[in-house]
Amino acid sequence: MATSASSLTIASSFSEPRTQIHSSKRSNLTLCSVPYKAGSRSRNRRLGLVVSSVTAPNVELRTGPDDLISSLLTKVANSDGGVTLSPEQHKEVAQVARELQKYCVSEPVKCPLIFGDWDVVYCSRPTSPGGGYRSVIGRLFFRTKEMIQGIDSPDIVRNRVSFTALGFLDGDVSLTGKLKVLDSEWVQVIFEPPELKVGSLEFKYGFESEVKLRITYIDEKLRLGLGSRGSLFVFRRRQ
């Protein structure tokens, strides 16, 4: 991942599926029954004991991927890509993401669902998507409107952050990169220098940048990515 302040570091990946995971929305319940022995009441009475209550059986609710996805999207909703979340809320997002990871297809880099346009709805490090434009100071001048990643077959990645500058100028910063598979889960993307558009101005600046990312979950609606430096990304497919 490049250190350029203006670079977009948005988790990416691509592929064709080898395994399809089908989940049921019905929850599995495991009930722990309370054993009963004949004659125990009479023995308790002889001991002067009165059984006044019965302990309810323990219920373990096993959550499926649909429930986890719903929970994850609820937690990151209206958070400006994670900016407004507290440290405790970031931990909750990470916990749900780890659970969802268990339902990922094998070799996710080969899953064709990766292609298409995705909204970046969350990042555990706010400056990872958008660089300096998303920093504490940058957000004073640039109000983020959208963060989008497009992945085109066979190996093109397009990252774009659109914003309003100074409250009245529309603009965006974008990157185009070449994608390379490293193994069954990891990919590398080498980006060209970023292109900045503000009002009628349009120009390229800076240098090439590079990111390495791991795909930890992918389906028709949601994708999770983990950057080489530990940043968690949540992508939702654009309608």
Side-chain angles (χ1 to χ4, degrees):
M1 181 179 300
T3 57
S4 172
S6 60
S7 67
L8 291 153
T9 311
I10 299 180
S12 57
S13 26
F14 45 120
S15 11
E16 342 164 333
R18 199 173 273 193
T19 305
Q20 293 291 333
I21 301 296
H22 298 282
S23 62
S24 171
K25 294 184 179 179
R26 181 179 302 167
S27 300
N28 297 319
L29 299 180
T30 303
L31 301 180
C32 302
S33 59
V34 178
Y36 173 80
K37 292 184 179 179
S40 60
R41 174 180 287 275
S42 60
R43 284 196 297 272
N44 286 340
R45 284 175 176 170
R46 287 196 297 270
L47 291 172
L49 301 177
V50 178
V51 180
S52 59
S53 62
V54 177
T55 302
N58 295 323
V59 178
E60 180 186 354
L61 180 63
R62 298 186 182 278
T63 305
D66 290 342
D67 297 319
L68 291 170
I69 290 172
S70 178
S71 174
L72 187 62
L73 292 177
T74 298
K75 290 180 183 298
V76 304
N78 303 314
S79 68
D80 191 14
V83 170
T84 63
L85 297 186
S86 67
E88 185 60 35
Q89 289 172 317
H90 280 291
K91 290 180 181 179
E92 292 176 2
V93 171
Q95 182 178 3
V96 177
R98 283 193 296 270
E99 287 298 312
L100 190 55
Q101 180 178 331
K102 299 175 183 178
Y103 295 92
C104 186
V105 299
S106 63
E107 299 190 86
V109 298
K110 295 182 178 180
C111 181
L113 292 174
I114 199 65
F115 298 114
D117 291 335
W118 302 81
D119 286 315
V120 185
V121 296
Y122 171 83
C123 182
S124 57
R125 298 182 183 181
T127 58
S128 289
Y133 299 95
R134 297 274 294 165
S135 66
V136 174
I137 296 177
R139 292 197 304 272
L140 295 176
F141 303 97
F142 301 95
R143 183 178 63 82
T144 302
K145 295 166 59 179
E146 289 182 319
M147 295 186 292
I148 302 170
Q149 180 177 80
I151 304 179
D152 302 328
S153 180
D155 58 3
I156 300 299
V157 179
R158 299 172 286 102
N159 292 343
R160 181 170 66 89
V161 175
S162 61
F163 55 79
T164 299
L166 304 174
F168 66 94
L169 283 174
D170 289 332
D172 64 65
V173 58
S174 60
L175 289 173
T176 300
K178 187 88 169 178
L179 192 151
K180 177 183 178 182
V181 174
L182 299 180
D183 62 22
S184 63
E185 295 182 342
W186 284 88
V187 297
Q188 178 188 53
V189 184
I190 298 178
F191 289 104
E192 298 173 1
E195 182 175 351
L196 177 64
K197 298 179 182 179
V198 180
S200 60
L201 296 177
E202 180 177 339
F203 57 92
K204 287 189 175 183
Y205 66 99
F207 308 95
E208 288 188 346
S209 57
E210 173 188 316
V211 296
K212 291 182 180 178
L213 307 139
R214 178 190 174 200
I215 307 168
T216 59
Y217 182 81
I218 176 71
D219 68 13
E220 297 86 351
K221 299 179 181 179
L222 194 82
R223 175 163 57 95
L224 300 181
L226 193 65
S228 57
R229 297 182 182 179
S231 297
L232 171 64
F233 295 85
V234 178
F235 302 88
R236 181 178 58 202
R237 190 179 297 278
R238 289 178 65 82
Q239 300 300 318

mmCIF file of all heavy atoms in Angstrom, residues 220-239:
data_model
loop_
_atom_site.group_PDB
_atom_site.id
_atom_site.type_symbol
_atom_site.label_atom_id
_atom_site.label_comp_id
_atom_site.label_asym_id
_atom_site.label_seq_id
_atom_site.Cartn_x
_atom_site.Cartn_y
_atom_site.Cartn_z
ATOM 1 N N GLU A 220 -23.230 -12.049 -3.574
ATOM 2 C CA GLU A 220 -23.868 -11.192 -4.573
ATOM 3 C C GLU A 220 -23.976 -9.738 -4.129
ATOM 4 O O GLU A 220 -24.030 -8.831 -4.960
ATOM 5 C CB GLU A 220 -25.273 -11.712 -4.902
ATOM 6 C CG GLU A 220 -25.303 -13.093 -5.541
ATOM 7 C CD GLU A 220 -25.306 -14.204 -4.503
ATOM 8 O OE1 GLU A 220 -25.104 -13.887 -3.305
ATOM 9 O OE2 GLU A 220 -25.517 -15.365 -4.881
ATOM 10 N N LYS A 221 -24.018 -9.505 -2.813
ATOM 11 C CA LYS A 221 -24.276 -8.156 -2.306
ATOM 12 C C LYS A 221 -23.122 -7.535 -1.533
ATOM 13 O O LYS A 221 -23.015 -6.310 -1.475
ATOM 14 C CB LYS A 221 -25.501 -8.188 -1.389
ATOM 15 C CG LYS A 221 -26.774 -8.631 -2.065
ATOM 16 C CD LYS A 221 -27.927 -8.656 -1.074
ATOM 17 C CE LYS A 221 -29.223 -9.118 -1.741
ATOM 18 N NZ LYS A 221 -30.343 -9.159 -0.760
ATOM 19 N N LEU A 222 -22.262 -8.353 -0.948
ATOM 20 C CA LEU A 222 -21.262 -7.830 -0.014
ATOM 21 C C LEU A 222 -19.890 -8.429 -0.273
ATOM 22 O O LEU A 222 -19.771 -9.588 -0.677
ATOM 23 C CB LEU A 222 -21.677 -8.149 1.428
ATOM 24 C CG LEU A 222 -20.920 -7.394 2.526
ATOM 25 C CD1 LEU A 222 -21.525 -5.997 2.698
ATOM 26 C CD2 LEU A 222 -21.001 -8.134 3.852
ATOM 27 N N ARG A 223 -18.868 -7.618 -0.040
ATOM 28 C CA ARG A 223 -17.482 -8.089 -0.134
ATOM 29 C C ARG A 223 -16.694 -7.497 1.029
ATOM 30 O O ARG A 223 -16.845 -6.317 1.359
ATOM 31 C CB ARG A 223 -16.856 -7.670 -1.472
ATOM 32 C CG ARG A 223 -15.383 -8.023 -1.607
ATOM 33 C CD ARG A 223 -14.947 -7.967 -3.068
ATOM 34 N NE ARG A 223 -15.192 -6.689 -3.696
ATOM 35 C CZ ARG A 223 -14.270 -5.719 -3.783
ATOM 36 N NH1 ARG A 223 -13.065 -5.878 -3.248
ATOM 37 N NH2 ARG A 223 -14.555 -4.586 -4.394
ATOM 38 N N LEU A 224 -15.847 -8.302 1.632
ATOM 39 C CA LEU A 224 -14.965 -7.842 2.701
ATOM 40 C C LEU A 224 -13.523 -7.972 2.236
ATOM 41 O O LEU A 224 -13.150 -8.940 1.574
ATOM 42 C CB LEU A 224 -15.153 -8.669 3.977
ATOM 43 C CG LEU A 224 -16.533 -8.678 4.616
ATOM 44 C CD1 LEU A 224 -16.519 -9.531 5.883
ATOM 45 C CD2 LEU A 224 -17.007 -7.264 4.932
ATOM 46 N N GLY A 225 -12.697 -6.993 2.589
ATOM 47 C CA GLY A 225 -11.284 -7.037 2.244
ATOM 48 C C GLY A 225 -10.432 -6.643 3.431
ATOM 49 O O GLY A 225 -10.856 -5.833 4.264
ATOM 50 N N LEU A 226 -9.253 -7.212 3.510
ATOM 51 C CA LEU A 226 -8.311 -6.901 4.586
ATOM 52 C C LEU A 226 -6.995 -6.476 3.962
ATOM 53 O O LEU A 226 -6.361 -7.250 3.236
ATOM 54 C CB LEU A 226 -8.109 -8.121 5.491
ATOM 55 C CG LEU A 226 -7.403 -7.878 6.822
ATOM 56 C CD1 LEU A 226 -8.245 -6.967 7.720
ATOM 57 C CD2 LEU A 226 -7.139 -9.199 7.534
ATOM 58 N N GLY A 227 -6.588 -5.223 4.217
ATOM 59 C CA GLY A 227 -5.342 -4.717 3.664
ATOM 60 C C GLY A 227 -4.128 -5.325 4.346
ATOM 61 O O GLY A 227 -4.218 -5.884 5.443
ATOM 62 N N SER A 228 -2.977 -5.210 3.707
ATOM 63 C CA SER A 228 -1.741 -5.796 4.248
ATOM 64 C C SER A 228 -1.329 -5.151 5.567
ATOM 65 O O SER A 228 -0.561 -5.721 6.328
ATOM 66 C CB SER A 228 -0.613 -5.671 3.225
ATOM 67 O OG SER A 228 -0.407 -4.309 2.867
ATOM 68 N N ARG A 229 -1.847 -3.951 5.850
ATOM 69 C CA ARG A 229 -1.547 -3.280 7.113
ATOM 70 C C ARG A 229 -2.682 -3.407 8.128
ATOM 71 O O ARG A 229 -2.687 -2.738 9.157
ATOM 72 C CB ARG A 229 -1.227 -1.806 6.860
ATOM 73 C CG ARG A 229 0.013 -1.600 6.012
ATOM 74 C CD ARG A 229 0.330 -0.133 5.823
ATOM 75 N NE ARG A 229 1.495 0.059 4.972
ATOM 76 C CZ ARG A 229 1.984 1.239 4.633
ATOM 77 N NH1 ARG A 229 1.386 2.351 5.056
ATOM 78 N NH2 ARG A 229 3.044 1.332 3.858
ATOM 79 N N GLY A 230 -3.647 -4.260 7.818
ATOM 80 C CA GLY A 230 -4.704 -4.544 8.784
ATOM 81 C C GLY A 230 -5.995 -3.778 8.626
ATOM 82 O O GLY A 230 -6.922 -3.963 9.408
ATOM 83 N N SER A 231 -6.106 -2.918 7.607
ATOM 84 C CA SER A 231 -7.342 -2.159 7.410
ATOM 85 C C SER A 231 -8.460 -3.075 6.922
ATOM 86 O O SER A 231 -8.276 -3.857 5.982
ATOM 87 C CB SER A 231 -7.135 -1.038 6.387
ATOM 88 O OG SER A 231 -6.180 -0.106 6.838
ATOM 89 N N LEU A 232 -9.625 -2.969 7.568
ATOM 90 C CA LEU A 232 -10.798 -3.745 7.172
ATOM 91 C C LEU A 232 -11.689 -2.885 6.279
ATOM 92 O O LEU A 232 -12.007 -1.749 6.624
ATOM 93 C CB LEU A 232 -11.587 -4.188 8.407
ATOM 94 C CG LEU A 232 -12.958 -4.821 8.148
ATOM 95 C CD1 LEU A 232 -12.819 -6.122 7.373
ATOM 96 C CD2 LEU A 232 -13.703 -5.029 9.468
ATOM 97 N N PHE A 233 -12.090 -3.432 5.135
ATOM 98 C CA PHE A 233 -12.967 -2.735 4.204
ATOM 99 C C PHE A 233 -14.270 -3.505 4.048
ATOM 100 O O PHE A 233 -14.261 -4.727 3.961
ATOM 101 C CB PHE A 233 -12.312 -2.609 2.823
ATOM 102 C CG PHE A 233 -11.072 -1.757 2.803
ATOM 103 C CD1 PHE A 233 -9.833 -2.304 3.124
ATOM 104 C CD2 PHE A 233 -11.144 -0.424 2.439
ATOM 105 C CE1 PHE A 233 -8.681 -1.523 3.086
ATOM 106 C CE2 PHE A 233 -9.997 0.364 2.393
ATOM 107 C CZ PHE A 233 -8.764 -0.188 2.724
ATOM 108 N N VAL A 234 -15.368 -2.766 3.974
ATOM 109 C CA VAL A 234 -16.670 -3.365 3.686
ATOM 110 C C VAL A 234 -17.201 -2.726 2.402
ATOM 111 O O VAL A 234 -17.339 -1.499 2.325
ATOM 112 C CB VAL A 234 -17.676 -3.130 4.834
ATOM 113 C CG1 VAL A 234 -19.034 -3.712 4.480
ATOM 114 C CG2 VAL A 234 -17.161 -3.741 6.144
ATOM 115 N N PHE A 235 -17.470 -3.564 1.410
ATOM 116 C CA PHE A 235 -17.991 -3.101 0.120
ATOM 117 C C PHE A 235 -19.409 -3.635 -0.077
ATOM 118 O O PHE A 235 -19.676 -4.809 0.170
ATOM 119 C CB PHE A 235 -17.139 -3.653 -1.042
ATOM 120 C CG PHE A 235 -15.688 -3.272 -0.977
ATOM 121 C CD1 PHE A 235 -14.777 -4.045 -0.271
ATOM 122 C CD2 PHE A 235 -15.224 -2.159 -1.663
ATOM 123 C CE1 PHE A 235 -13.434 -3.722 -0.232
ATOM 124 C CE2 PHE A 235 -13.876 -1.823 -1.635
ATOM 125 C CZ PHE A 235 -12.979 -2.602 -0.911
ATOM 126 N N ARG A 236 -20.284 -2.767 -0.542
ATOM 127 C CA ARG A 236 -21.654 -3.185 -0.879
ATOM 128 C C ARG A 236 -21.883 -2.942 -2.371
ATOM 129 O O ARG A 236 -21.576 -1.867 -2.881
ATOM 130 C CB ARG A 236 -22.666 -2.375 -0.056
ATOM 131 C CG ARG A 236 -24.132 -2.767 -0.321
ATOM 132 C CD ARG A 236 -25.052 -1.964 0.557
ATOM 133 N NE ARG A 236 -24.868 -0.549 0.321
ATOM 134 C CZ ARG A 236 -25.207 0.417 1.188
ATOM 135 N NH1 ARG A 236 -25.724 0.096 2.360
ATOM 136 N NH2 ARG A 236 -25.010 1.684 0.897
ATOM 137 N N ARG A 237 -22.390 -3.951 -3.049
ATOM 138 C CA ARG A 237 -22.570 -3.829 -4.498
ATOM 139 C C ARG A 237 -23.561 -2.699 -4.809
ATOM 140 O O ARG A 237 -24.610 -2.577 -4.174
ATOM 141 C CB ARG A 237 -23.086 -5.137 -5.096
ATOM 142 C CG ARG A 237 -23.048 -5.141 -6.630
ATOM 143 C CD ARG A 237 -23.554 -6.466 -7.191
ATOM 144 N NE ARG A 237 -22.703 -7.572 -6.800
ATOM 145 C CZ ARG A 237 -21.567 -7.912 -7.408
ATOM 146 N NH1 ARG A 237 -21.129 -7.173 -8.412
ATOM 147 N NH2 ARG A 237 -20.869 -8.960 -7.000
ATOM 148 N N ARG A 238 -23.200 -1.881 -5.799
ATOM 149 C CA ARG A 238 -24.060 -0.763 -6.189
ATOM 150 C C ARG A 238 -25.295 -1.276 -6.920
ATOM 151 O O ARG A 238 -25.217 -2.215 -7.711
ATOM 152 C CB ARG A 238 -23.302 0.210 -7.091
ATOM 153 C CG ARG A 238 -22.245 0.993 -6.323
ATOM 154 C CD ARG A 238 -21.455 1.920 -7.232
ATOM 155 N NE ARG A 238 -22.269 2.981 -7.799
ATOM 156 C CZ ARG A 238 -22.579 4.109 -7.168
ATOM 157 N NH1 ARG A 238 -22.130 4.324 -5.935
ATOM 158 N NH2 ARG A 238 -23.309 5.041 -7.762
ATOM 159 N N GLN A 239 -26.420 -0.649 -6.643
ATOM 160 C CA GLN A 239 -27.692 -1.045 -7.259
ATOM 161 C C GLN A 239 -27.759 -0.551 -8.698
ATOM 162 O O GLN A 239 -27.278 0.519 -9.011
ATOM 163 C CB GLN A 239 -28.853 -0.480 -6.439
ATOM 164 C CG GLN A 239 -28.873 -0.969 -5.015
ATOM 165 C CD GLN A 239 -28.991 -2.481 -4.889
ATOM 166 O OE1 GLN A 239 -29.775 -3.090 -5.630
ATOM 167 N NE2 GLN A 239 -28.256 -3.089 -3.989
#
